[in-house]
Amino acid sequence: MALNVSVQGAETSDRKGRIVLTESVGRGCRHIRVEIESGCCRPDPGQFFLIRERGVFDPLLGRPLAPIASSNNSLDFLFRIVGRGTSHMASLPPGTEVDLRGPCGRGFPGPVKRRLILVSGSLGIAPFLDASARYRDKMEVTVILGVPGNGWEEFAKWCSSRVPGLRITSDDGTLGNRGNAVEEALSVIEPGDEVWGCGPNAMLRELGHLFKIGSGRILVSLESRMACGIGGCLGCSLPTATGMKRVCVDGPVFEWQEIFPNAW
Ligand SMILES: Cc1cc2nc3c(=O)[nH]c(=O)nc-3n(C[C@H](O)[C@H](O)[C@H](O)COP(=O)(O)OP(=O)(O)OC[C@H]3O[C@@H](n4cnc5c(N)ncnc54)[C@H](O)[C@@H]3O)c2cc1C
Ligand code: FES
């Protein structure tokens, strides 16, 4: 039976698609474009789709990915190969049919402050490629990408070609400034700025330091293992300051204080 659930903005539904482009973006990372059979909506940055090859049940579950761009009939994704699902997706040639469920969850709402700082750890940049393209003509947007360093050159170059003025930091100092993405954010933040984060949990937690400089608002996009993507299985539940929440429908984007109430 076809699924239709309205969570935020566009309706979550099961869609059929076909890979029309697949390219390597450096070691272990891939960009794919999927043409959507029935046309597509415009998901909010941070909303995600569960994606899997049609008719293939090993692995059983679709994997959550946040689009980096969307059009009336296509979605682009950027992902890192970490396990069975993503290595299978990376192996699929153009023409492969896929099933998608989405857009799922609550993405980043429109920014409410004057300046927006987007802080990402490696593949956490995915939703910010979309967000920066969407907002950079309307307000001052700074995008920060933190990567380990050596081996990430092609990925960093590819992201830089899509984000004018991208600020890169690397742990080993081989790319951009030496340091991490939160340190870079501390060097550019001004009182009242709005900050969005996406990346490893440890990085998201550290973003709380930006409140000390006077950040007006910090939103974070969380990762979790997903099964249904629509709030039914409780597999993605996590404790928050306001009780148990499901990352797939209550998030993946949350206020920082809700996720890290006891961090400081
Ligand atoms: C809302 C959301 C949006 C996402 N968007 C992107 C994106 O745009 N690009 C991208 O590269 N990745 C994204 N991810 C992460 C991506 O979904 C996982 O890397 C992927 O599901 C791993 O599947 P796999 O079968 O390859 O790995 P598995 O074989 O399932 O796991 C391999 C390893 O990765 C760990 N892992 C798997 N899934 C997750 C997860 N969700 N969070 C943390 N660790 C995990 C496992 O514990 C294991 O160690 C997103 C996740 C969420 C929840
Ligand atoms: S993945 Fe099923 S409730 Fe979130």
Side-chain angles (χ1 to χ4, degrees), residues 174-190:
T174 56
L175 290 166
N177 293 333
R178 181 187 292 272
N180 64 45
V182 178
E183 288 163 350
E184 188 72 11
L186 281 164
S187 75
V188 297
I189 187 134
E190 290 179 8

Side-chain angles (χ1 to χ4, degrees), residues 1 8 22 37 39 41 51-52 62 70 83 85 92 142 158 162 184 220-221 232 239 242 247:
M1 195 168 69
Q8 172 190 11
T22 172
E37 207 172 85
C41 52
I51 179 168
R52 55 183 294 166
S70 57
L92 302 176
T142 301
W158 193 86
R162 294 188 160 231
E184 188 72 11
V220 292
S221 182
T242 53
V247 175

Side-chain angles (χ1 to χ4, degrees), residues 1 20 34 50 58 66 72 79 81 94 114 121-122 137 149 151 155 177 181 193 195 218 231 251 255 257:
M1 195 168 69
V20 292
V34 178
L50 295 175
D58 181 22
N72 289 342
F79 61 92
I81 301 165
R114 191 175 55 84
S122 57
D137 292 339
F155 179 82
N177 293 333
D193 285 352
V195 178
I218 303 179
E255 296 274 350
Q257 298 95 319

Side-chain angles (χ1 to χ4, degrees), residues 197-229:
C198 186
N201 248 27
M203 183 202 94
L204 299 181
R205 187 177 185 278
E206 289 300 298
L207 283 177
H209 286 294
L210 300 175
F211 278 126
K212 295 178 196 157
I213 317 289
S215 168
R217 187 187 197 201
I218 303 179
L219 302 175
V220 292
S221 182
L222 299 189
E223 280 207 8
S224 164
R225 305 301 290 265
M226 302 262 172
C228 70

Side-chain angles (χ1 to χ4, degrees), residues 125-160:
I125 198 169
F128 297 155
L129 292 171
D130 183 13
S132 65
R134 202 173 288 206
Y135 298 122
R136 68 179 163 240
D137 292 339
K138 303 185 179 75
M139 60 193 302
E140 201 177 318
V141 181
T142 301
V143 189
I144 298 170
L145 167 65
V147 291
N150 190 21
W152 286 79
E153 296 78 5
E154 199 176 331
F155 179 82
K157 194 170 160 201
W158 193 86
C159 293
S160 296

